[in-house]
Structures are given as C-alpha cells and as structure tokens.
Amino acid sequence: MANMTSYEHERAAFRLDMPETFNFGFDVIDHWAEDPTKLAMLWVDETGQSARYTFADVRRESNRFASVLQRLGVRQGDGVMLVLPRLPQWHSIVVALMKLGALPMPGTVLLTPKDYEYRINT
C-alpha cells in the first residue's frame, strides 16, 4: 500500500495492473449481477414514480438489446449513435453496445441536424 509521503516516488513507482482483455458489460455488470438483489439504479421519472433496477435486470436487458443489435448488423468497432430521452433502458443499451465491442456515441434529444452531421462525420 502506498504511503504517499513523496509524490515523485509514488508517481515513479505506480503501476496499473491492466488485464489483457476487459469488457465493462461482462466484467463489471454481469459480475455484479451474480447477486440478483444488488441494486444498480433507482429510477425516478418526471412524475415522481420510481422503479428499482438490479444488476441482474441490466444484464438481462443488455443481453436482449445486444442480440437485437447483432441481428441489425452491429459489430465490434462500429460506432453507434444513441439518442433517447431520459429512460432507464438507455443504460442497458449502452452496456449492450459495450458487450458487442461497439463504440457508444451518446447524444441528447436536443441535437440539431447540424449536430448529427458533425458527430456522424467525426
């Protein structure tokens, strides 16, 4: 454990242990979903209604979305623009894209045609 008495020493000695492969969807979300009661999100909508989503819910929904996206032809390395209003499913779709190795490009529903053009071309 670092003692942090010398910034220069700690900076020089710091090593980040990076796995050879890592996928947030599988390695974090699905791992935490092993406890079916583990809360991932407490969603409150604009009317004040709330819903609880566990990591098991996110795993199930992200696997469903990933399957649909695969059938639509989304593959590893593809950029996918995701523009939705504030919905809890947004998170499951982002996790699905990560599981496929696609690159989520989140956008707000306030984007203009010029914004879309810029983001798509960039």
Side-chain angles (χ1 to χ4, degrees):
M1 176 153 230
N3 63 19
M4 297 301 288
T5 57
S6 167
Y7 174 79
E8 288 77 19
H9 176 270
E10 295 302 329
R11 183 170 179 254
F14 179 77
R15 298 289 177 264
L16 187 58
D17 184 23
M18 297 289 292
E20 188 151 329
T21 61
F22 176 80
N23 184 299
F24 183 82
F26 296 120
D27 297 330
V28 176
I29 300 296
D30 288 2
H31 174 74
W32 287 347
E34 291 172 8
D35 174 355
T37 65
K38 191 171 186 77
L39 184 65
M41 176 178 13
L42 176 61
W43 182 262
V44 181
D45 70 15
E46 63 278 351
T47 69
Q49 297 284 56
S50 65
R52 299 172 66 82
Y53 293 90
T54 64
F55 283 98
D57 294 328
V58 176
R59 175 179 55 193
R60 184 180 60 257
E61 287 186 4
S62 66
N63 287 345
R64 264 189 38 226
F65 282 122
S67 182
V68 169
L69 292 167
Q70 262 186 323
R71 284 195 301 271
L72 290 172
V74 176
R75 300 289 178 255
Q76 183 175 5
D78 289 349
V80 178
M81 184 174 282
L82 178 60
V83 181
L84 289 173
R86 292 183 179 196
L87 297 170
Q89 291 79 10
W90 184 93
H91 301 276
S92 296
I93 296 169
V94 169
V95 172
L97 290 166
M98 290 178 183
K99 285 181 174 183
L100 293 175
L103 308 170
M105 300 182 307
T108 172
V109 294
L110 300 175
L111 292 175
T112 66
K114 190 174 183 177
D115 296 327
Y116 283 107
E117 182 180 5
Y118 173 79
R119 290 170 189 222
I120 289 168
N121 290 328
T122 300

